[in-house]
Amino acid sequence: MSDRRPAPTVGQVVLGKRLQELRERSGLSREAAAKVLRVAPATVRRMETAEVALKIPYVQILLTAYGVPDGEVSSFVDLAEEANRPGWWQRYHDVLPEWFSLYVSLEGAARIIRSYEPHFVPGLLQTEEYARAVLETGTIGNSSDEGAVERHVALRMERQALLEREQPPHLWVVMDETVLRRPVSADGRVMREQLDKLLDFAGRERVTLQVAEFSTGPHPGTYAPFTLFRFAEPELPDMVFTEYLTGALYLDSRDEVSTHLEVLDHMTALAASAQRTQKILREYRERC
């Protein structure tokens, strides 16, 4: 049995969409493009939707058929070769679920990350000890495997490097007050250090934290956690990620994304302001 193909990189998604646009601009159908390559139309579709890696010889033939100048073909091929290189996160393929691999790629490419977290501190803001406590008690495939837990913790910590970049994405999180009330460890130090980290990031220019207080009552996002990604690349539409026990959904239809965006906007209006949230975090920190 062959190894499963890793989830596509954002580069492959972007270039696949560009290939589709170039084909449509040239007036060729997928069937006509497939005849040029002498393959099934499904092969062209899978390249355009990033279901398969970009085969460089195929890319060169298609771009020529689409009337792309030689110089631009060379530039496109360079980008395709770069996009085909494994992402850093694929070093964790032994513990990284296939459905989450794309999330890490999207997270690293996003310009804005907006999310609602009803249960735990979001992974990008967790301390190592908090992450370990959550992962030891959560469903991560084989939670009794200490080595797997440590690999998951290492992956989560490495993901956080994107917030330290020179131009980090804007991270905007609405956390339910439950997140602050739920103990993840009998060791009070774990939550104290986690609250210290939240307070640190709450003061950063590119991070916005808001707490949805119990006192405001129910809100439209109480069903499940979700994340909305927005990208600088015009080829990539806004995308929503929502997770369930054994997998996840990636939503990019305009109606579904618009609904989630509307819910986020409504929740941010109801939740404590960023300034009040810092006060709430300090109050919880004093109680620990």
Side-chain angles (χ1 to χ4, degrees):
M1 182 181 295
S2 61
D3 295 337
R4 66 174 175 84
R5 188 221 168 199
T9 64
V10 168
Q12 289 170 336
V13 174
V14 170
L15 293 181
K17 288 183 178 293
R18 288 184 184 172
L19 269 180
Q20 180 178 348
E21 291 171 359
L22 289 168
R23 175 181 58 75
E24 292 173 346
R25 193 180 306 165
S26 73
L28 290 178
S29 64
R30 276 186 180 148
E31 289 73 16
K35 286 182 180 179
V36 173
L37 293 178
R38 297 184 180 179
V39 297
T43 299
V44 177
R45 176 187 60 77
R46 294 176 71 195
M47 289 177 65
E48 293 178 349
T49 57
E51 294 176 37
V52 295
L54 294 164
K55 294 184 178 180
I56 302 304
Y58 284 3
V59 169
Q60 292 171 315
I61 293 170
L62 288 176
L63 292 175
T64 300
Y66 299 160
V68 177
D70 291 344
E72 293 181 25
V73 169
S74 178
S75 297
F76 196 107
V77 166
D78 289 344
L79 292 173
E81 290 176 339
E82 175 66 27
N84 283 341
R85 293 192 180 99
W88 64 263
W89 58 90
Q90 291 174 12
R91 299 197 305 273
Y92 296 92
H93 66 88
D94 54 322
V95 294
L96 183 63
E98 184 175 3
W99 51 265
F100 195 66
S101 183
L102 178 58
Y103 180 97
V104 181
S105 181
L106 295 172
E107 184 179 69
R111 180 171 56 89
I112 299 174
I113 304 172
R114 296 184 64 181
S115 67
Y116 166 60
E117 291 288 347
H119 305 301
F120 301 105
V121 171
L124 287 177
L125 298 176
Q126 290 178 6
T127 65
E128 186 172 332
E129 290 300 322
Y130 184 98
R132 183 172 292 109
V134 171
L135 291 165
E136 284 176 344
T137 57
T139 302
I140 60 170
N142 184 4
S143 57
S144 63
D145 185 341
E146 183 178 347
V149 169
E150 290 307 312
R151 291 280 286 161
H152 277 276
V153 172
L155 169 62
R156 192 160 294 185
M157 295 301 102
E158 195 163 350
R159 283 171 50 207
Q160 295 180 6
L162 70 89
L163 296 179
E164 306 299 336
R165 294 189 314 213
E166 186 175 344
Q167 293 185 320
H170 184 175
L171 178 65
W172 188 352
V173 179
V174 176
M175 295 184 299
D176 199 278
E177 190 174 349
T178 303
V179 172
L180 305 179
R181 289 177 175 259
R182 173 177 283 114
V184 299
S185 171
D187 185 351
R189 176 181 56 86
V190 173
M191 198 62 189
R192 287 194 294 272
E193 291 179 353
Q194 181 59 73
L195 287 166
D196 286 340
K197 183 165 184 174
L198 287 175
L199 281 165
D200 173 39
F201 276 87
R204 297 196 182 189
E205 183 180 355
R206 298 288 293 172
V207 175
T208 302
L209 298 183
Q210 293 183 263
V211 171
E213 298 178 87
F214 291 155
S215 59
T216 61
H219 57 76
T222 51
Y223 299 99
F226 64 91
T227 300
L228 186 146
F229 298 106
R230 178 161 291 172
F231 308 93
E233 295 84 354
E235 296 87 355
L236 283 177
D238 289 355
M239 191 173 296
V240 170
F241 167 91
T242 183
E243 185 177 347
Y244 54 92
L245 188 62
T246 57
L249 296 173
Y250 293 89
L251 311 172
D252 61 3
S253 76
R254 183 172 299 179
D255 288 344
E256 288 176 316
V257 171
S258 294
T259 297
H260 284 80
L261 183 58
E262 183 178 352
V263 166
L264 275 173
D265 287 343
H266 187 63
M267 283 195 294
T268 57
L270 289 175
S273 66
Q275 184 175 3
R276 171 160 173 74
T277 291
Q278 292 186 52
K279 181 175 182 293
I280 293 170
L281 292 174
R282 284 192 292 269
E283 290 173 351
Y284 271 94
R285 177 63 177 83
E286 290 169 1
R287 297 176 200 169
C288 288

